[in-house]
Amino acid sequence: MLRHFVDADGRYLGGFGGGALPDDNGAVEVSSAPDRAGDRWLGDAWVRPPADLRAEKLAALERRYEAALAAGMAYHGKVLQLRAVDQQNITAMGQEARWALAAAAPWPADFAWRMADNSFLPLADAPAMIALGEAAKAEIQRLRRVKWAHADALAAAATAAAIAAYDIEAGWVPLSGGT
């Protein structure tokens, strides 16, 4: 039968059988092995260290943020994509529109933006492209603020239980349905 031991910090030293014991003189026998690598023995149970839980929640938060960007935003009855590559394209064309407006240069009358459903949203003049860019910027900033608020709350959580219980789902839905 295996006997399980931890060191003074609650780190698992291993299961030992046949009379073998760990080399650690401060080893303490515990009732079982951990379910996950990295868990620590705390009194009478295995627990996830707060730093591990926080890192897992922050990784999940980053995935949630990326999913929110991938979902896009409602704009003129369609969905405008907001992924990183979309942001670059929107910024570039928004800048072109600003230059066209500043120089009183013509804007292509048939200009249209490709939306998430592969349909096109006509943007007949430079101010229309600028408005699309400004709406995208506002939504991206809103999503960043949601992400930052969750990250700050996770950083402030003092216990493993508080970190594990923290819900990263709040605040992602836009306050309005878009323009």
Side-chain angles (χ1 to χ4, degrees), residues 95-108 125-127 130:
Q95 192 63 24
E96 288 295 320
R98 289 180 194 287
W99 282 111
L101 191 61
W107 185 256
D125 56 22
I130 293 168

Side-chain angles (χ1 to χ4, degrees), residues 35 114 171:
D35 292 330
R114 190 175 196 135

Side-chain angles (χ1 to χ4, degrees), residues 75 80 98 148:
Y75 190 78
L80 176 64
R98 289 180 194 287
W148 294 336

